[in-house]
Amino acid sequence: MSHRVSSMGFQAQMLKKFPGIIKYADKESSILRRLKKAVDYAYKSKFYARKLKKAGVKGADIKSIRDFKEKVPQTTRSELVEVDPYDILAVSPGSKCLIYSQTSGTTGGHVPVWVTKDELEKNIDLAVCLPVFQKLLSPKDKVALCYPYTRTLAGRTADLINQKAGVTIIPMGTRNNMYPPLEVADALIRLKPTILGAAATDAFSYANILMDQGIDPKKIGIKLIVSGAEPCADNRGKVLGELYGATFLSLLGQNEIGGAIPCEKNILHLPSFVMFTELYHDDGTEAGFGERANSIVTPTWREAMPLLRYRTGDVVKINKEPCECGLPLPTMEILGRKRTEISIGSKKFFPIELENFLYQSNLNGVWYQIKLAEDSVMISAEHRDKADYPRLANEIKTNLEKELNKKVEVKLGPPGTLYDYRKIRPGKPLSRVVDVKKGKSEVVEGA
Ligand SMILES: [Zn+2]
């Protein structure tokens, strides 16, 4: 079967380039060896030298995975927000080329993220071995890259992967005044890229700008949309793909811990050969595969910025069942930030799950907003074709009332009603999910 071939090819390439890294990745002895090394290496940073000395733990003290969990203190997001960004470095500036980035800070303060040029290049080497990039990127492709180049590593990483793949790169690092959305749409028309790398929201914006000009986005010839930098529900991705007549693929990870590995089935895989993950329930007990769980991660292959037992704040689901793509790695769903979880009646949802319910309908606008009141849910969404409104409103109402078991009101309007997609997007223009029942507004994550 073809997916087997791709997986074998991947393993062979990985073994050649990174001997030993993947072959024994899930053996306990291999995990233990990597964890010991990670603890000793972390001493190179002032932050961890202080923390580990205080806890009185060294690599040699870790004789089992249990030891690691019991002896090594956890690292929280707020510790990293407060630390002097230079204190988290294990490599002193001047001894190696270093690149700084930081997380968006939507969840309170920026977490510094450092990489050395060497480790970034190694990660790029690893990425281009992946079947997903081997299959989807051909030198003949023209790739429009619309990720921001600054603050996060998204744009820079995408650029380097594409350079390695030898494609034609059309950098449009949006969200600055060199490439406002209208300028991007114009470049899409002139340059006819085959691949569009953009946050889903931006890709919806460009499609609407094209349609404003009477151009069907399908006419551009984009065959693949690679969305990153914002979570995108499967159904929303599917709708976006249909709008362009393209396949949709979502790349998502956390800046500070490194990305998950995507596959061509639009599934994320856990890079277990460079990442030790602990799963636990809200009450602190250990969680297993297939369960909704909080995650604590220890990346074991870091040069610039070591991290030990980092509480990601994410709720994830990790599955051991093999993926159709054949990659020999567990699959991972990132459900959302713990603090964005919302209760509706007796059930709990993440914003991304509500988005998934909503996009069972074919909405082609840019933005939506879901307001949760005590006894009802109000939905505002954008869609171009007024003739579809009665059918869509009814469909959305039926679908969401079934899922949420609450009265649902739907209001549809033309694109631009909720957010002016022709303007440079400063970040998240407005919240997608608002919990008015608690009298507070900000709930949803976003780019
Ligand atoms: Zn897969």
Side-chain angles (χ1 to χ4, degrees):
M1 280 190 301
S2 65
H3 67 260
R4 278 286 146 216
V5 175
S6 81
S7 145
M8 296 287 284
F10 166 69
Q11 286 198 70
Q13 287 204 52
M14 291 280 288
L15 282 170
K16 209 166 90 194
K17 290 202 177 184
F18 308 95
I21 199 171
I22 193 166
K23 199 169 175 187
Y24 307 108
D26 294 325
K27 271 203 166 170
E28 198 167 318
S29 58
S30 160
I31 297 170
L32 195 58
R33 185 171 42 78
R34 282 182 284 136
L35 291 177
K36 279 168 173 266
K37 234 171 106 181
V39 170
D40 284 333
Y41 187 76
Y43 269 91
K44 288 179 186 285
S45 90
K46 284 185 187 148
F47 171 78
Y48 276 112
R50 281 195 297 266
K51 211 171 152 72
L52 294 170
K53 258 179 215 154
K54 203 171 150 202
V57 59
K58 286 200 227 56
D61 302 326
I62 316 258
K63 307 251 184 330
S64 66
I65 290 172
R66 176 156 293 279
D67 276 350
F68 177 75
K69 291 181 184 173
E70 284 174 358
K71 293 178 178 167
V72 176
Q74 295 181 8
T75 303
T76 63
R77 190 179 176 85
S78 56
E79 279 179 282
L80 297 186
V81 168
E82 281 156 26
V83 74
D84 177 334
Y86 290 101
D87 282 1
I88 190 76
L89 275 175
V91 171
S92 45
S95 65
K96 283 216 154 197
C97 176
L98 285 162
I99 303 165
Y100 176 78
S101 65
Q102 60 184 27
T103 61
S104 65
T106 43
T107 38
H110 298 289
V111 172
V113 184
W114 291 100
V115 287
T116 65
K117 177 175 167 281
D118 290 347
E119 76 181 315
L120 181 63
E121 281 170 1
K122 253 196 234 172
N123 284 329
I124 302 296
D125 275 350
L126 200 142
V128 289
C129 291
L130 291 173
V132 64
F133 293 119
Q134 296 265 321
K135 274 188 196 165
L136 298 177
L137 283 179
S138 121
K140 282 192 179 141
D141 277 312
K142 291 172 267 183
V143 184
L145 286 178
C146 307
Y147 304 119
Y149 193 77
T150 48
R151 198 178 74 189
T152 74
L153 289 173
R156 190 186 301 266
T157 307
D159 189 64
L160 290 171
I161 290 173
N162 282 286
Q163 283 187 36
K164 276 255 167 177
V167 307
T168 299
I169 304 173
I170 309 165
M172 311 202 219
T174 43
R175 294 168 63 177
N176 65 53
N177 57 14
M178 295 302 285
Y179 255 119
L182 291 167
E183 200 78 39
V184 173
D186 189 46
L188 294 180
I189 295 164
R190 281 186 298 124
L191 288 149
K192 301 201 169 10
T194 54
I195 297 179
L196 174 66
T201 296
D202 295 321
F204 271 111
S205 297
Y206 309 149
N208 274 280
I209 293 169
L210 293 170
M211 290 188 282
D212 289 346
Q213 300 174 25
I215 298 165
D216 181 350
K218 290 188 187 75
K219 291 274 155 62
I220 302 290
I222 292 166
K223 55 164 196 186
L224 173 70
I225 299 170
V226 184
S227 165
E230 82 173 19
C232 180
D234 286 351
N235 285 337
R236 182 162 162 254
K238 216 182 282 168
V239 168
L240 179 63
E242 282 164 15
L243 208 48
Y244 282 93
T247 304
F248 176 86
L249 187 75
S250 172
L251 300 186
L252 197 63
Q254 262 195 317
N255 261 303
E256 64 268 43
I257 59 171
I261 292 182
C263 76
E264 67 273 26
K265 302 286 168 196
N266 199 21
I267 303 251
L268 292 178
H269 288 262
L270 181 76
S272 52
F273 52 96
V274 287
M275 181 90 71
F276 176 67
T277 308
E278 300 167 54
L279 300 172
Y280 66 99
H281 298 296
D282 290 344
D283 64 7
T285 55
E286 279 190 32
F289 293 108
E291 290 186 286
R292 277 169 99 105
N294 304 289
S295 67
I296 297 179
V297 300
T298 303
T300 53
W301 197 34
R302 295 286 286 267
E303 189 179 19
M305 179 179 159
L307 270 183
L308 298 175
R309 305 197 69 216
Y310 178 63
R311 295 173 71 108
T312 61
D314 279 341
V315 177
V316 299
K317 216 193 241 179
I318 294 177
N319 290 302
K320 276 232 158 153
E321 284 85 60
C323 173
E324 248 184 86
C325 76
L327 267 187
L329 299 167
T331 61
M332 173 165 79
E333 274 176 74
I334 302 173
L335 297 166
R337 294 262 170 191
K338 182 71 194 163
R339 57 161 216 103
T340 67
E341 201 173 36
I342 26 193
S343 304
I344 301 176
S346 59
K347 287 191 189 168
K348 283 186 171 173
F349 296 95
F350 282 102
I352 199 87
E353 295 175 289
L354 301 183
E355 179 177 288
N356 209 34
F357 300 149
L358 178 62
Y359 277 85
Q360 291 173 68
S361 298
N362 234 344
L363 293 162
N364 60 13
V366 179
W367 207 262
Y368 68 85
Q369 191 170 54
I370 300 175
K371 278 190 182 164
L372 307 163
E374 207 54 67
D375 40 39
S376 67
V377 177
M378 284 156 295
I379 292 172
S380 312
E382 297 177 346
H383 186 73
R384 296 184 74 84
D385 324 286
K386 287 213 167 74
D388 297 341
Y389 285 10
R391 176 186 59 82
L392 277 176
N394 192 37
E395 198 180 287
I396 293 169
K397 187 176 157 65
T398 312
N399 286 340
L400 274 105
E401 283 186 346
K402 194 181 81 199
E403 301 285 357
L404 307 179
N405 210 7
K406 281 256 167 205
K407 190 172 166 301
V408 173
E409 288 167 42
V410 183
K411 211 170 86 189
L412 297 171
T417 309
L418 296 168
Y419 143 63
D420 186 355
Y421 55 93
R422 291 162 290 246
K423 292 214 175 109
I424 296 169
R425 190 160 65 92
K428 190 171 52 176
L430 79 156
S431 292
R432 286 197 169 103
V433 179
V434 181
D435 203 346
V436 287
K437 63 181 190 289
K438 284 185 218 145
K440 61 174 195 185
S441 59
E442 209 274 322
V443 187
V444 165
E445 52 221 302

